[in-house]
Amino acid sequence: MTIETDYGTVEYSPEDLIVFTDGLFGFPKLTRYLLLRINEEEGDDSILLMLSVEDPNVVFVLINPFFLCPDYSPVLTPEELACLEVTDSGELSYYTICVVRNDYLENTVNLKCPLAINPKTRCGIQIILENTSYEYVHKLGSFPSVTSSNDGSDGSDEVC
């Protein structure tokens, strides 16, 4: 199968798709997505594009939250785990949606509502983490992994 995008023609097969049965927040009718690597290096999932195959004008920038915050620890409810057909949160892959701005340090991620994906079934859900210190908006500039230690920041708004 092929899809025309702003990035050119993308070839894929149905088993490449990630399916969000309930869609994403704000996009309930778009359920099938293709993950595109930005870095062609094998296994690098630190930053991805997630393209809707139902509406190729809808593209999300995803960031692996563990790249930003190594001790990120999402805890899913038993119902969410059952929906994803796993028994433990550690069996899943997680991504945060990034809001892109002109200055990359002003880009933000939502650590409170990650995408949780079962890599075996390729099914996913967007969840709202309860009882955590994670917020809906975190500036990329607040993460030590993004900024150098000598950038003049006092780290007061760090989340990890």
Side-chain angles (χ1 to χ4, degrees):
M1 304 175 87
T2 62
I3 187 169
E4 294 298 324
T5 73
D6 289 345
Y7 316 102
T9 303
V10 177
E11 291 188 32
Y12 68 95
S13 61
E15 50 273 354
D16 293 332
L17 297 176
I18 304 294
V19 177
F20 294 89
T21 306
D22 296 326
L24 301 177
F25 303 149
F27 299 88
K29 294 184 185 206
L30 302 179
T31 60
R32 299 179 312 134
Y33 292 87
L34 188 59
L35 295 180
L36 305 173
R37 293 190 190 285
I38 290 179
N39 184 349
E40 293 299 321
E41 195 172 308
E42 184 65 34
D44 184 353
D45 69 346
S46 55
I47 301 176
L48 302 170
L49 295 180
M50 189 170 78
L51 170 73
S52 168
V53 297
E54 295 146 324
D55 182 350
N57 293 313
V58 176
V59 180
F60 296 97
V61 175
L62 303 184
I63 296 181
N64 182 323
F66 299 101
F67 170 75
L68 299 173
C69 186
D71 61 349
Y72 186 66
S73 56
V75 177
L76 280 66
T77 66
E79 295 79 17
E80 292 164 337
L81 293 171
C83 177
L84 291 166
E85 301 177 27
V86 296
T87 56
D88 183 81
S89 296
E91 299 175 60
L92 302 170
S93 297
Y94 297 93
Y95 297 96
T96 59
I97 294 177
C98 181
V99 176
V100 179
R101 312 231 189 262
N102 288 335
D103 176 355
Y104 83 94
L105 291 177
E106 294 297 314
N107 293 349
T108 60
V109 292
N110 180 345
L111 293 178
K112 190 166 184 77
C113 301
L115 306 180
I117 298 171
N118 181 328
K120 293 179 183 170
T121 65
R122 302 196 60 85
C123 289
I125 58 174
Q126 187 171 19
I127 56 176
I128 299 175
L129 298 174
E130 300 294 330
N131 303 317
T132 72
S133 61
Y134 305 125
E135 298 292 335
Y136 296 105
V137 177
H138 295 278
K139 285 186 178 182
L140 283 184
S142 70
F143 296 98
S145 61
V146 175
T147 59
S148 65
S149 60
N150 56 358
D151 66 356
S153 170
D154 66 2
S156 61
D157 56 351
E158 289 180 9
V159 294
C160 301

